[in-house]
Amino acid sequence: PSMDAVPVVVPKPDESAAEQSQSSSQTTTAMIPQTKNNDRPEMVILVYDVAKKKNIGTIIRSAVAFGVSKMLIVGNKKNLKTFGHQRTRDFMQFVYFDKFERAVEHLKKNKFTIYGCEICEDAKSVVSHPFEGNAAFIFGNEGSGLNQKALKACDRFLYIPQYGHGTASLNVAVAASIVLHHFSVWAKYPETSRSGFKFVVDETKKIAEPHINFIPTEKDLKRKARILAREERLKREAAEAKA
């Protein structure tokens, strides 16, 4: 099963960020692209309160490797920092929500079980694969873990057993990788083909429209305009050099 429709802002080329923000509650809606493995449980990540951009980038890389279908981002005006994704970002669908509560409501409406990854009393070991149906995972802040709002939203909790005695917890991106791998094994996702010493990267799997419901700020629009202007200048210079 896949998610229901969410509002999608389709900005006009000459719209300002303020106008686009105002139009976010109006008119256009679109379906989030359906997951291709409809016969298997779906796995998504709700990104909330993860502070370090390198961690988010590494989580994206692991999410692509282990079959996550979508990443739900809280803050639809947030320019997602993805340092460390190693060119995997183009293979992930990002869906933006202006508030945490709306993202949670959307998941529950679509029958996703929300799993909080936290070392708490009633958490189940991820090794036991305590999964059921579609899963949405929330990974806590690097320093403080899941905050109270996130804890209340979770249906169940998972923890990763440790066997050494020198650290109280794992890095959030490392923890995410372990949890996602366990779910993909439990859900029996088909293994990716290998070639030589690498897994095969299928360029046809890139997401055509990766950002759903994202509202750019004025800063984002100016940055995009600069990039486009630079690209046009380089094209003109290349054409003149050939002339």
Side-chain angles (χ1 to χ4, degrees):
S2 60
M3 294 185 181
D4 287 346
V6 297
V8 176
V9 175
V10 182
K12 298 176 182 178
D14 58 347
E15 269 191 327
S16 68
E19 289 169 334
Q20 291 176 29
S21 178
Q22 185 177 5
S23 68
S24 64
S25 61
Q26 300 174 358
T27 59
T28 310
T29 60
M31 289 296 292
I32 298 175
Q34 292 187 354
T35 304
K36 292 183 179 179
N37 288 331
N38 285 333
D39 58 329
R40 302 183 190 278
E42 185 176 358
M43 170 171 51
V44 303
I45 297 174
L46 176 52
V47 179
Y48 174 63
D49 202 29
V50 177
K52 297 181 180 179
K53 60 183 181 181
K54 185 173 182 180
N55 283 333
I56 294 175
T58 303
I59 290 172
I60 291 172
R61 185 178 182 181
S62 294
V64 170
F66 298 130
V68 170
S69 64
K70 303 170 187 72
M71 294 182 72
L72 280 58
I73 314 298
V74 176
N76 60 359
K77 295 183 181 179
K78 183 181 293 184
N79 190 359
L80 189 66
K81 306 296 184 183
T82 57
F83 177 79
H85 68 89
Q86 298 296 318
R87 293 179 291 182
T88 58
R89 184 177 59 182
D90 294 340
F91 294 86
M92 181 53 60
Q93 182 81 68
F94 300 95
V95 184
Y96 295 81
F97 291 85
D98 60 346
K99 295 181 180 180
F100 176 76
E101 291 81 3
R102 292 189 180 180
V104 170
E105 179 184 359
H106 186 74
L107 289 168
K108 291 184 180 295
K109 178 181 177 182
N110 287 277
K111 297 180 172 57
F112 277 77
T113 300
I114 300 177
Y115 294 90
C117 300
E118 188 60 276
I119 308 168
C120 55
E121 186 175 348
D122 56 346
K124 304 294 183 183
S125 168
V126 71
V127 177
S128 67
H129 291 178
F131 307 119
E132 182 179 345
N134 296 335
F137 295 107
I138 306 180
F139 303 99
N141 179 271
E142 291 87 344
S144 56
L146 295 175
N147 62 27
Q148 286 301 312
K149 185 184 291 187
L151 289 171
K152 290 179 181 178
C154 294
D155 299 304
R156 302 179 186 180
F157 295 95
L158 303 170
Y159 79 95
I160 300 167
Q162 292 186 184
Y163 307 98
H165 307 283
T167 182
S169 63
L170 294 172
N171 167 272
V172 63
V174 172
S177 299
I178 293 170
V179 170
L180 300 179
H181 178 263
H182 273 287
F183 186 88
S184 60
V185 171
W186 170 82
K188 295 181 171 59
Y189 286 177
E191 185 177 315
T192 304
S193 301
R194 292 174 289 169
S195 177
F197 294 95
K198 300 281 187 180
F199 287 95
V200 175
V201 175
D202 186 351
E203 296 290 335
T204 67
K205 303 294 186 182
K206 285 185 176 180
I207 307 298
E209 296 184 12
H211 299 284
I212 303 295
N213 208 32
F214 176 69
I215 304 173
T217 63
E218 292 286 357
K219 184 177 179 180
D220 294 327
L221 293 173
K222 289 178 181 179
R223 179 175 178 274
K224 185 175 181 180
R226 289 196 302 270
I227 292 172
L228 291 174
R230 184 169 66 247
E231 290 176 349
E232 287 298 322
R233 177 175 56 80
L234 292 173
K235 287 179 182 179
R236 286 197 305 269
E237 292 175 353
E240 290 170 0
K242 290 180 180 180

